[in-house]
Amino acid sequence: MILDVKGVTKRYGGLVAVDDVSFTVDESEILGIIGPNGAGKSTTLNLISGFDTLTSGSVLFDGRNIAGMKAERISALGMGRNFQSSLLFMQLPVIENVFAAYHLQLKTPAWKRLLHLPAAKAEEAELRGKSGEILDKLGLGDLKYEITRNLAYGHQRILSVCIALATNPKLLLLDEPLTGMNQTEIQTMVELIKWIRSTGITVIIIEHNIQALMSLCDRLVVLDHGRKITEGLPKDVRTNPEVIEAYLGTEGD
Amino acid sequence: MQKIAKAPVSRAWFTWLVALVALVVAVVIPLFVKSDYYRDILITAIVFAVLSMTFVMQLKSGLISLGIAAFWGIGAYSAAIMTTKMGLSFWAALPLSALLTAVVAFLLGFIIIGRGGVFTFVILTAVVGMLFSVSVGASSYLGNYAGISNIPSPGTVKIPGLPAWDFLNKSAWYYLALILLVLVAVICFALYKSWIGRAWTSIGLNTRLASSIGVNVFRYRLLGFVIASGIAGLIGAFYASYVVNIDPSQFSTWSNIYLQLYAILGGIQYAIAGPILGSVIMRFLPTALSSIPGYADLVTGALLILFILFLPHGLLGLLSQGRAGLTGLRENLARVGRFFSQSSERADGPRVPDVADSGQREPQAAIEAPVTGEGSAPSSMNKADER
């Protein structure tokens, strides 16, 4: 068990955005969190990754309580994430986006890096090479030196996953990685996520597009109005009447 | 439609060449500029160039500081006190003042940067700027609003093989200022090229993404604030000794506004060359315009506004973009032309102005311009994808 979310609650004044949500994530699994708009999916993700402070509850990551920690601290512990609305360093070349994510992995002593000694330069060159490899692996190799703003939308989504991967995470949180993509792009992304899991990284996906998740996820957690209504295998969730009522039913008609 | 990724052609050698030529020119200038009046302008231009660089350093991590003049003043006052009241030599006071200013910035930084955002920072640094003037004015130890006078010059330096470096004429001061400028430029360059510079840039471009990749936003902003303030303190110590008499009005918010304008004029993306170019030009402009008696300030102000309106990327932005920059300039002019023609049309009948709309779109085109000028392969393919 890599992540244990217990009774997580977030209140904005009188509004309860996330209400007593608990679930666990096992190592090397792909967990999907689904639910209709406004179900509290993104808020849950922000609470786990430290971008929002929780009102009550606890989050155990690798056995350590990370509730209340700052986002950068949690990232350093090995939790990577991307953002829903393509949050990238738009003005920089693609490869610099990924290279920036190696921020915490520089091992040369700081004074050598400040004086730009050969050891530091060699390390940077190596990490830049690694950045290039990640981009090659995820199919952005041809666009390495392009300015990020000029990238197509689907490519930008993939780049946001590349950045999260470069932080060398044990657990990767993906916030709506498939939203707004066309069918080919969705297929590419699904393959990428499967490949990421095959390298031993645990993945949590928040998604609106439930169809793609059915084949991708090992388990699904369903949220509605900030509460967890059920969790289980995709095939069971699919036939759960509560889920159909909350989510699939409304979309079906 | 396969496109091969090619690393952009490095133009580092060109940058180095320009830097070298600029340095040589800076070193030989006193041989041609004999007038003390112009040498004085050169020296103050260097002081403001350094201050302007500290502004850009903080701007990298998204912070707009209105308190730079105050830290400049803290450096100047520390050096003044150390040399006039504590009997230290200038050469000891120079680094000590820089250090003291950095320590003050470190302590204040916890409050100023703290958990607040960018706007809190702007307001609080402005408060620091005001508090500086008021508290110095209220302190009789610091000479109230009359300030401190008779700040001693640096002691003579003897370097074997060279004439004695005494501070009796302006060229000696000029060379000291130049050494400090080069020192600061080298420090800035080393920082910007390192992980620290990358962390600052990432915070400035996208704070949330920066913390998601593990950049400690508070710590790096504090670091930038402390280093920038230390540099401002260093040049403040030099300035105090150079001008002999200091008072709080010299370190007012006005100075702060000027040094920001110099950076913008030179080109904000050019963190080292931009401030130097901007402050040299703007320090000489009023003199060059002094043949228009009484209106020099007015014309300078008007020119500044025009520069900022039409050259949002500064003079260096225009130079480095070449033809693309000229096109951008022409577009900007056309935009203003449209604005005026629209306002006259509006007088005739109801018409929805789309000025705000075009105003949002066009600067973006201007930002994109350097991309194609950078020597990388054209991005037409991806732009086609985007549509």
Side-chain angles (χ1 to χ4, degrees), chain A residues 54-67:
Chain A
L54 28 78
T55 315
S56 64
S58 70
V59 181
L60 293 177
F61 176 50
D62 245 1
R64 187 202 293 245
N65 191 359
I66 57 168

PDB file of all heavy atoms in Angstrom, chain A residues 54-67:
ATOM      1  N   LEU A  54      -6.105  20.431   3.747  1.00  0.00           N
ATOM      2  CA  LEU A  54      -7.336  19.744   4.090  1.00  0.00           C
ATOM      3  C   LEU A  54      -7.889  20.209   5.440  1.00  0.00           C
ATOM      4  O   LEU A  54      -7.141  20.638   6.318  1.00  0.00           O
ATOM      5  CB  LEU A  54      -7.179  18.222   4.055  1.00  0.00           C
ATOM      6  CG  LEU A  54      -5.832  17.555   4.330  1.00  0.00           C
ATOM      7  CD1 LEU A  54      -5.575  17.528   5.808  1.00  0.00           C
ATOM      8  CD2 LEU A  54      -5.853  16.166   3.758  1.00  0.00           C
ATOM      9  N   THR A  55      -9.207  20.166   5.552  1.00  0.00           N
ATOM     10  CA  THR A  55      -9.860  20.586   6.793  1.00  0.00           C
ATOM     11  C   THR A  55      -9.683  19.518   7.859  1.00  0.00           C
ATOM     12  O   THR A  55      -9.397  19.809   9.016  1.00  0.00           O
ATOM     13  CB  THR A  55     -11.361  20.845   6.533  1.00  0.00           C
ATOM     14  OG1 THR A  55     -11.485  21.597   5.330  1.00  0.00           O
ATOM     15  CG2 THR A  55     -11.989  21.609   7.677  1.00  0.00           C
ATOM     16  N   SER A  56      -9.871  18.252   7.467  1.00  0.00           N
ATOM     17  CA  SER A  56      -9.596  17.162   8.405  1.00  0.00           C
ATOM     18  C   SER A  56      -9.275  15.900   7.623  1.00  0.00           C
ATOM     19  O   SER A  56      -9.491  15.833   6.420  1.00  0.00           O
ATOM     20  CB  SER A  56     -10.798  16.942   9.336  1.00  0.00           C
ATOM     21  OG  SER A  56     -11.902  16.522   8.581  1.00  0.00           O
ATOM     22  N   GLY A  57      -8.772  14.905   8.342  1.00  0.00           N
ATOM     23  CA  GLY A  57      -8.395  13.651   7.701  1.00  0.00           C
ATOM     24  C   GLY A  57      -6.887  13.526   7.619  1.00  0.00           C
ATOM     25  O   GLY A  57      -6.156  14.426   8.040  1.00  0.00           O
ATOM     26  N   SER A  58      -6.426  12.387   7.102  1.00  0.00           N
ATOM     27  CA  SER A  58      -4.986  12.198   6.992  1.00  0.00           C
ATOM     28  C   SER A  58      -4.664  11.504   5.675  1.00  0.00           C
ATOM     29  O   SER A  58      -5.492  10.816   5.099  1.00  0.00           O
ATOM     30  CB  SER A  58      -4.457  11.373   8.169  1.00  0.00           C
ATOM     31  OG  SER A  58      -4.900  10.038   8.040  1.00  0.00           O
ATOM     32  N   VAL A  59      -3.452  11.755   5.207  1.00  0.00           N
ATOM     33  CA  VAL A  59      -2.976  11.118   3.986  1.00  0.00           C
ATOM     34  C   VAL A  59      -1.635  10.475   4.304  1.00  0.00           C
ATOM     35  O   VAL A  59      -0.684  11.160   4.676  1.00  0.00           O
ATOM     36  CB  VAL A  59      -2.800  12.149   2.842  1.00  0.00           C
ATOM     37  CG1 VAL A  59      -2.333  11.453   1.578  1.00  0.00           C
ATOM     38  CG2 VAL A  59      -4.087  12.901   2.578  1.00  0.00           C
ATOM     39  N   LEU A  60      -1.572   9.141   4.221  1.00  0.00           N
ATOM     40  CA  LEU A  60      -0.313   8.451   4.465  1.00  0.00           C
ATOM     41  C   LEU A  60       0.303   8.076   3.125  1.00  0.00           C
ATOM     42  O   LEU A  60      -0.299   7.354   2.338  1.00  0.00           O
ATOM     43  CB  LEU A  60      -0.538   7.192   5.293  1.00  0.00           C
ATOM     44  CG  LEU A  60      -0.993   7.381   6.741  1.00  0.00           C
ATOM     45  CD1 LEU A  60      -1.233   6.018   7.386  1.00  0.00           C
ATOM     46  CD2 LEU A  60       0.033   8.156   7.537  1.00  0.00           C
ATOM     47  N   PHE A  61       1.483   8.617   2.860  1.00  0.00           N
ATOM     48  CA  PHE A  61       2.196   8.294   1.625  1.00  0.00           C
ATOM     49  C   PHE A  61       3.443   7.528   2.028  1.00  0.00           C
ATOM     50  O   PHE A  61       4.292   8.061   2.742  1.00  0.00           O
ATOM     51  CB  PHE A  61       2.538   9.585   0.883  1.00  0.00           C
ATOM     52  CG  PHE A  61       3.364   9.371  -0.359  1.00  0.00           C
ATOM     53  CD1 PHE A  61       2.991   8.430  -1.305  1.00  0.00           C
ATOM     54  CD2 PHE A  61       4.505  10.126  -0.585  1.00  0.00           C
ATOM     55  CE1 PHE A  61       3.745   8.239  -2.445  1.00  0.00           C
ATOM     56  CE2 PHE A  61       5.263   9.944  -1.723  1.00  0.00           C
ATOM     57  CZ  PHE A  61       4.883   9.004  -2.659  1.00  0.00           C
ATOM     58  N   ASP A  62       3.528   6.275   1.613  1.00  0.00           N
ATOM     59  CA  ASP A  62       4.669   5.448   1.992  1.00  0.00           C
ATOM     60  C   ASP A  62       4.800   5.360   3.513  1.00  0.00           C
ATOM     61  O   ASP A  62       5.914   5.367   4.052  1.00  0.00           O
ATOM     62  CB  ASP A  62       5.960   6.038   1.413  1.00  0.00           C
ATOM     63  CG  ASP A  62       6.568   5.097   0.394  1.00  0.00           C
ATOM     64  OD1 ASP A  62       5.972   4.037   0.157  1.00  0.00           O
ATOM     65  OD2 ASP A  62       7.642   5.412  -0.137  1.00  0.00           O
ATOM     66  N   GLY A  63       3.665   5.332   4.211  1.00  0.00           N
ATOM     67  CA  GLY A  63       3.698   5.207   5.656  1.00  0.00           C
ATOM     68  C   GLY A  63       3.921   6.503   6.406  1.00  0.00           C
ATOM     69  O   GLY A  63       3.916   6.526   7.632  1.00  0.00           O
ATOM     70  N   ARG A  64       4.093   7.624   5.680  1.00  0.00           N
ATOM     71  CA  ARG A  64       4.355   8.891   6.347  1.00  0.00           C
ATOM     72  C   ARG A  64       3.151   9.821   6.157  1.00  0.00           C
ATOM     73  O   ARG A  64       2.594   9.909   5.061  1.00  0.00           O
ATOM     74  CB  ARG A  64       5.596   9.512   5.697  1.00  0.00           C
ATOM     75  CG  ARG A  64       6.104  10.756   6.385  1.00  0.00           C
ATOM     76  CD  ARG A  64       6.929  11.555   5.414  1.00  0.00           C
ATOM     77  NE  ARG A  64       8.163  10.885   5.039  1.00  0.00           N
ATOM     78  CZ  ARG A  64       9.366  11.375   5.342  1.00  0.00           C
ATOM     79  NH1 ARG A  64       9.489  12.469   6.031  1.00  0.00           N
ATOM     80  NH2 ARG A  64      10.449  10.752   4.931  1.00  0.00           N
ATOM     81  N   ASN A  65       2.751  10.488   7.239  1.00  0.00           N
ATOM     82  CA  ASN A  65       1.601  11.383   7.114  1.00  0.00           C
ATOM     83  C   ASN A  65       2.025  12.670   6.411  1.00  0.00           C
ATOM     84  O   ASN A  65       2.835  13.435   6.916  1.00  0.00           O
ATOM     85  CB  ASN A  65       1.015  11.698   8.496  1.00  0.00           C
ATOM     86  CG  ASN A  65      -0.330  12.405   8.382  1.00  0.00           C
ATOM     87  OD1 ASN A  65      -0.803  12.670   7.275  1.00  0.00           O
ATOM     88  ND2 ASN A  65      -0.941  12.696   9.514  1.00  0.00           N
ATOM     89  N   ILE A  66       1.466  12.910   5.226  1.00  0.00           N
ATOM     90  CA  ILE A  66       1.875  14.082   4.467  1.00  0.00           C
ATOM     91  C   ILE A  66       0.810  15.177   4.506  1.00  0.00           C
ATOM     92  O   ILE A  66       0.946  16.201   3.839  1.00  0.00           O
ATOM     93  CB  ILE A  66       2.189  13.725   2.998  1.00  0.00           C
ATOM     94  CG1 ILE A  66       0.976  13.069   2.338  1.00  0.00           C
ATOM     95  CG2 ILE A  66       3.403  12.835   2.903  1.00  0.00           C
ATOM     96  CD1 ILE A  66       1.107  12.965   0.833  1.00  0.00           C
ATOM     97  N   ALA A  67      -0.245  14.964   5.283  1.00  0.00           N
ATOM     98  CA  ALA A  67      -1.292  15.989   5.366  1.00  0.00           C
ATOM     99  C   ALA A  67      -0.701  17.270   5.941  1.00  0.00           C
ATOM    100  O   ALA A  67      -0.030  17.241   6.966  1.00  0.00           O
ATOM    101  CB  ALA A  67      -2.437  15.492   6.239  1.00  0.00           C
TER     102      ALA A  67
END
